[in-house]
Amino acid sequence: MLQRQTILSVSTSDTGFVDITRHLARFVADSGVKTGLLTALLRHTSAGLVIQENADPDVLADLADRLEAMAPRDPSLYRHRSEGSDDMPAHVRAMLTNVQLSIPVMKGRLALGKWQAVYVAEHRARGSDRQVALHLTGE
Amino acid sequence: MLQRQTILSVSTSDTGFVDITRHLARFVADSGVKTGLLTALLRHTSAGLVIQENADPDVLADLADRLEAMAPRDPSLYRHRSEGSDDMPAHVRAMLTNVQLSIPVMKGRLALGKWQAVYVAEHRARGSDRQVALHLTGE
Amino acid sequence: MLQRQTILSVSTSDTGFVDITRHLARFVADSGVKTGLLTALLRHTSAGLVIQENADPDVLADLADRLEAMAPRDPSLYRHRSEGSDDMPAHVRAMLTNVQLSIPVMKGRLALGKWQAVYVAEHRARGSDRQVALHLTGE
C-alpha cells in the first residue's frame, strides 16, 4: 500500500462550477495506483466540492439557481455581512454542498459513473484561487 | 492491509429510500476485515446516499417531502427539462444528499449508531437500477 | 501503514455548533501518523458534522438560522412528531449537513484550510451526548 498526496490549485472566475475531474484522473494515473481510494478536501468555507452531471451545462446553471434560492444573496437574512453580501450565502452553500469527498479507484481509474464529473463549486461572486488537498492510497 | 472492491446493484421502484445496510454489512463480513474503512460511491447524478433513521418509516416520508419542498418538480423553475420534469429536481436533491460516504469498520462491524441505516435515495419518479461502488480497506 | 480508531464523546448543550477540531488534531498527533487519512462518523441521525469557518461566531448563528428556514420546527410539516417538535427537523438538517467526513493528514497535521474548523452540529433543541467514531490510517 502506498500513499500519494498533493495540493491542487484551482482558479475560479465567478459563481459556478469548475470541472476538476481530469486533474484528479491524472493524479491517479501518475501514481500508478490500480486499486485504491482518492479523497479530496477543499480548504475553504465559501466554496464546495460536488459530483454532478458532466453533459448539459443547463444542469449546472439550474443547480446554481437553486443554491441562490436556498441561500439568497439578501443581506437582510444574515448577521455576518463584513465580507460582502455574497460571503455569508457562500458559507451556507458550502454547508449544503460539502467540501470533501472520497472516490474509489478501480482498475486504475476513478469509479465515477458515466455521467459524473467532480466540480469545485465557487459560491462567492468573484473568482478566487482555491486549494484542494488530495490523498490517494492504494496499490 | 488488504483492499476489497465490488459494484453493488440496487433496484429502486420509485422516489424514496432503499435500505442497503445489510448488503454493506455482508460485504464487510465476507472480507474478514475487523478494523478498516468502507467507502461507497453511488455512480449516478439523480439519486443519493443517505445515513438516516432505521426505525419509523414516517421519517423517510418526511425527508422525501422536504426534498420536494427544497427542489420541487415544477418545470418552470428549471432550464434542463429534456429528460422529464423529475430529472432536474433529482439532480438538485443529489447535490443536497450527496452520492458518497465513508464508514469506519470496528471489531468487524460498521460503526453505525444504533438508529442509523444507509439508504440509496432514489430522486427520480420511476425506479431504476443503481450502481454503488464499494471500497473496503483494513485488516 | 497503521490504523487507529476511537470513539470521541461530545457533549452538546442545545442547537448549535461545537468545535471538535482540537480533539481530532490531538488524536492525529498522538498516533504519530505523518501522512494519512482521518475519517469521522457521527453515530446519530439528529445531528451532523460540518466543516465551517472558525473565526466569526455570527457565521455559525447564520448557518443555524438557515437550517431553521430550510427545515422549520413547525409540526404541521411532518408526520413524525412522536419524539418532539424538534426531532423531525433535526433529521432533515442531518440529511443536509451529513454525518461523516474525511480529511487528509499531511506532515502530521489535518490538511484543513486556515479558516476551517470541524463542528458537531447539534440539531435537537436540547443538548445530548454525541458519539463520533474516528478512523485514522497512514504512516
Side-chain angles (χ1 to χ4, degrees):
Chain A
M1 294 276 284
L2 60 83
Q3 298 187 109
R4 291 289 180 275
Q5 295 184 326
T6 195
I7 304 285
L8 179 67
S9 291
V10 180
S11 290
T12 62
S13 56
D14 55 9
T15 306
F17 297 83
V18 177
D19 188 340
I20 62 168
T21 314
R22 70 186 182 284
H23 301 298
L24 305 185
R26 188 181 310 139
F27 177 62
V28 170
D30 288 351
S31 73
V33 165
K34 299 304 178 192
T35 300
L37 184 69
L38 176 71
T39 298
L41 168 71
L42 185 84
R43 304 177 74 203
H44 308 274
T45 62
S46 55
L49 286 177
V50 177
I51 297 176
Q52 267 291 341
E53 192 186 280
N54 56 16
D56 182 357
D58 278 353
V59 170
L60 302 177
D62 284 334
L63 291 174
D65 278 1
R66 295 311 298 170
L67 287 169
E68 169 66 22
M70 288 184 279
R73 284 179 182 158
D74 172 356
S76 73
L77 293 173
Y78 310 108
R79 297 167 186 79
H80 177 77
R81 306 177 199 179
S82 56
E83 296 175 74
S85 63
D86 64 325
D87 185 63
M88 191 58 226
H91 290 305
V92 179
R93 297 171 196 196
M95 179 174 64
L96 295 175
T97 54
N98 283 359
V99 295
Q100 53 75 49
L101 49 79
S102 293
I103 301 171
V105 174
M106 297 180 167
K107 299 181 183 172
R109 299 168 66 96
L110 296 168
L112 292 167
K114 181 180 178 183
W115 304 106
Q116 289 182 314
V118 182
Y119 296 95
V120 169
E122 177 58 67
H123 297 315
R124 297 297 306 265
R126 295 162 306 176
S128 186
D129 289 323
R130 300 302 196 175
Q131 290 188 347
V132 184
L134 299 183
H135 174 88
L136 175 67
T137 184
E139 59 193 5
Chain B
M1 295 274 285
L2 60 82
Q3 298 188 109
R4 291 289 180 275
Q5 296 185 325
T6 194
I7 304 286
L8 179 66
S9 291
V10 179
S11 290
T12 62
S13 57
D14 56 9
T15 305
F17 297 83
V18 178
D19 189 339
I20 62 168
T21 315
R22 71 186 182 283
H23 301 298
L24 304 185
R26 188 180 310 141
F27 178 63
V28 171
D30 288 350
S31 73
V33 164
K34 300 304 179 193
T35 300
L37 184 69
L38 177 71
T39 299
L41 167 71
L42 184 84
R43 305 177 74 203
H44 308 273
T45 61
S46 55
L49 286 178
V50 178
I51 296 175
Q52 267 291 340
E53 194 187 279
N54 57 16
D56 182 357
D58 278 354
V59 170
L60 302 176
D62 284 335
L63 292 174
D65 278 1
R66 295 311 297 169
L67 288 169
E68 170 66 22
M70 288 184 279
R73 285 181 182 157
D74 172 354
S76 73
L77 294 172
Y78 310 108
R79 297 167 186 79
H80 177 77
R81 306 179 199 178
S82 55
E83 297 176 72
S85 63
D86 64 323
D87 184 63
M88 191 58 226
H91 290 306
V92 178
R93 297 172 195 194
M95 179 173 66
L96 296 175
T97 54
N98 283 358
V99 295
Q100 54 74 49
L101 48 80
S102 292
I103 301 171
V105 173
M106 296 179 166
K107 299 180 183 173
R109 299 167 66 96
L110 295 168
L112 292 167
K114 181 180 179 182
W115 304 105
Q116 289 182 314
V118 181
Y119 296 94
V120 169
E122 177 58 67
H123 298 315
R124 297 297 306 264
R126 296 161 306 176
S128 185
D129 290 323
R130 299 302 197 175
Q131 291 188 348
V132 184
L134 300 182
H135 175 89
L136 175 66
T137 184
E139 60 193 5
Chain C
M1 293 275 285
L2 61 82
Q3 298 187 109
R4 291 288 180 274
Q5 296 185 325
T6 194
I7 304 285
L8 178 67
S9 291
V10 179
S11 290
T12 62
S13 57
D14 55 9
T15 305
F17 297 83
V18 178
D19 188 340
I20 62 169
T21 316
R22 70 187 182 285
H23 301 298
L24 305 186
R26 188 180 310 140
F27 177 63
V28 171
D30 289 350
S31 73
V33 164
K34 299 304 178 194
T35 301
L37 184 69
L38 177 71
T39 299
L41 168 70
L42 184 84
R43 305 177 74 202
H44 308 272
T45 61
S46 55
L49 287 177
V50 178
I51 296 176
Q52 268 290 342
E53 194 187 279
N54 56 16
D56 181 357
D58 278 352
V59 169
L60 301 176
D62 284 334
L63 291 174
D65 278 0
R66 295 312 296 169
L67 287 169
E68 170 67 21
M70 288 183 278
R73 284 181 183 157
D74 173 355
S76 72
L77 293 173
Y78 310 108
R79 296 167 186 81
H80 177 77
R81 306 178 198 179
S82 55
E83 297 176 74
S85 63
D86 63 324
D87 185 62
M88 191 58 227
H91 290 306
V92 179
R93 297 171 195 196
M95 179 174 66
L96 295 176
T97 54
N98 282 357
V99 295
Q100 54 74 50
L101 48 79
S102 293
I103 300 171
V105 174
M106 296 179 168
K107 299 181 182 172
R109 300 168 65 96
L110 295 168
L112 292 168
K114 181 180 179 182
W115 303 107
Q116 288 182 314
V118 181
Y119 296 95
V120 169
E122 177 59 66
H123 297 315
R124 296 296 306 264
R126 296 161 306 177
S128 187
D129 290 322
R130 300 303 196 173
Q131 292 188 347
V132 184
L134 300 183
H135 175 89
L136 175 65
T137 184
E139 60 193 5

